[in-house]
Amino acid sequence: MARSEPDEVSAPGEMRVFWFLLLTMVVVVTAVTLAVVGGGGSAVLQDVPPERFTDPLPAARPVGRADIEALRLPMALRGYRMVDVDEALSRLGAELAERDARIAELESTLAGDRAAAVTTGTDLFKQPGDRPEAEPADRADGRDETEEDGR
């Protein structure tokens, strides 16, 4: 038995369907490519400006714990931008140095006041409304407070 080979490989209708599908696929791929690249007059994927650090730390008052917790640095390609981190850390370092200097100043003032109180005998912890105790120099004239009131 001899094999018979067909004279026609495919029907003419099948070739039309193939060319139609090929043309449709080329049109769809071209449309998607133009939409992504932005060749259709409006840029679909616009260039986004990089995030810039806006210093959220208060300028008019000292930095507090809540300010540090709220601090968020913008992300860069491989982490954080070194310039932004350096700026925030230098600001915090300056605030801490200023705070330490103020604490040292207050501690030295307090130590000086304590030393003066020890030498003069005054009470540092006396409340502002307390009456001062009568000093011996106040009673040198021989009068008592009750005599001044006329009692």
Side-chain angles (χ1 to χ4, degrees):
M1 254 181 101
R3 282 177 137 189
S4 67
E5 294 186 20
D7 294 334
E8 286 185 25
V9 176
S10 63
E14 290 177 6
M15 284 302 282
R16 283 188 208 140
V17 170
F18 171 76
W19 285 110
F20 175 75
L21 288 177
L22 183 65
L23 182 64
T24 305
M25 186 173 67
V26 168
V27 168
V28 167
V29 168
T30 304
V32 168
T33 304
L34 286 176
V36 168
V37 172
S42 66
V44 175
L45 296 177
Q46 299 173 357
D47 289 334
V48 177
E51 290 184 59
R52 294 290 179 213
F53 180 63
T54 54
D55 189 8
L57 299 175
R61 62 177 173 80
V63 177
R65 179 184 177 127
D67 299 323
I68 302 300
E69 290 174 353
L71 179 65
R72 297 291 177 255
L73 299 171
M75 297 294 291
L77 182 62
R78 296 180 65 190
Y80 296 104
R81 293 183 59 223
M82 288 190 340
V83 172
D84 295 339
V85 174
D86 290 344
E87 184 178 319
L89 287 177
S90 66
R91 172 76 191 278
L92 291 174
E95 288 279 338
L96 288 174
E98 183 179 325
R99 190 169 292 172
D100 289 344
R102 179 70 177 143
I103 289 172
E105 175 188 339
L106 291 173
E107 285 178 345
S108 68
T109 303
L110 181 61
D113 288 347
R114 283 184 180 166
V118 167
T119 58
T120 61
T122 58
D123 186 13
L124 287 178
F125 301 105
K126 183 170 48 172
Q127 297 296 324
D130 290 348
R131 283 184 72 167
E133 304 230 356
E135 299 284 331
D138 291 342
R139 297 187 186 200
D141 60 358
R143 294 186 316 187
D144 201 15
E145 289 181 12
T146 55
E147 292 176 10
E148 290 177 7
D149 292 338
R151 291 187 209 162

